[in-house]
Amino acid sequence: MLSRTSGRALLSRMWSAVTGRTLTIDVSQPTVVDRIRRLQRLETVVYTMDKLVTGAKENPLLPDFLTGDRLLMIAHGEVVAGIDFSNLKLGDVRVQGKQVHFYLPAAQVFSARLDSGKTRVYSRQTGLLVTTDPNLETQVRQEAERQLQEAALADGILKTAQANAALTISSLLQGLGFEKVEFE
């Protein structure tokens, strides 16, 4: 195996010498910034979780069995976080030979959304004198998304997203030929 690989490398170098073709990789500052900016949004972490959420419409004068509307939902969703590179500027990346200094923007939550296929209304109780409120489920779903995002933030999703982004960008830049990558 080693001799096969070595032979191919030698053959490749000889073929390049005969044809006059050489490999050139541009790692200038504008090229590096452009390649990273093309990423736009780098999604580096996805939290998937379940949350129990309730909602209720009540009348302060009459009991719930007459005018109440209660809903219990098991919400399944995901929160996606990462880095937005769309506003990366030329000064955010400094190239010095085989070393690059990179300003890594702060991580942010891109979305918190429910999976409608896995989110279920577990229980719904409506009073005898009222109809089911069609907006209650929508309001509970919105609250579930908010709670999913809040739980992910409390669990450190932004810190994880920042660390994962640094690893990804470091790998990308090392793949471009840089030996040392420093983040600011």
Side-chain angles (χ1 to χ4, degrees):
M1 173 92 172
L2 181 61
S3 65
R4 242 188 268 156
T5 306
S6 300
R8 286 185 188 147
L10 179 63
L11 183 61
S12 176
R13 281 193 298 255
M14 287 176 34
W15 183 250
S16 292
V18 170
T19 62
R21 293 177 21 182
T22 59
L23 174 64
T24 306
I25 299 174
D26 183 8
V27 290
S28 64
Q29 187 171 346
T31 301
V32 171
V33 172
D34 183 53
R35 287 191 183 187
I36 294 171
R37 196 181 295 145
R38 278 189 214 163
L39 291 172
Q40 292 285 322
R41 281 183 8 165
L42 177 62
E43 296 179 357
T44 58
V45 65
V46 178
Y47 275 31
T48 304
M49 59 187 89
D50 294 307
K51 192 88 172 149
L52 194 60
V53 185
T54 61
K57 297 268 180 150
E58 299 171 336
N59 185 321
L61 302 176
L62 298 173
D64 284 345
F65 78 92
L66 291 177
T67 61
D69 192 2
R70 293 187 166 280
L71 181 123
L72 176 64
M73 178 183 288
I74 299 173
H76 178 85
E78 65 182 24
V79 180
V80 179
I83 306 291
D84 182 4
F85 289 113
S86 62
N87 295 322
L88 197 65
K89 298 175 196 73
L90 207 53
D92 292 339
V93 178
R94 293 187 322 274
V95 176
Q96 297 171 335
K98 295 278 186 183
Q99 184 174 352
V100 63
H101 299 276
F102 188 87
Y103 167 73
L104 189 62
Q108 60 188 5
V109 172
F110 291 139
S111 67
R113 59 183 169 259
L114 295 182
D115 181 344
S116 295
K118 295 180 180 177
T119 296
R120 299 274 184 251
V121 174
Y122 182 73
S123 171
R124 181 86 187 240
Q125 298 172 344
T126 306
L128 298 172
L129 302 177
V130 294
T131 59
T132 302
D133 183 355
N135 296 322
L136 183 59
E137 185 174 341
T138 301
Q139 292 166 341
V140 171
R141 284 177 175 273
Q142 290 169 347
E143 177 61 20
E145 286 178 351
R146 189 193 67 73
Q147 286 187 20
L148 287 175
Q149 181 170 336
E150 194 174 282
L153 288 169
D155 196 43
I157 191 171
L158 294 180
K159 185 177 179 181
T160 303
Q162 193 81 18
N164 289 351
L167 287 171
T168 301
I169 294 301
S170 194
S171 295
L172 172 73
L173 293 173
Q174 287 171 347
L176 289 173
F178 292 103
E179 294 172 359
K180 187 174 181 185
V181 180
E182 290 184 5
F183 293 100
E184 301 170 6

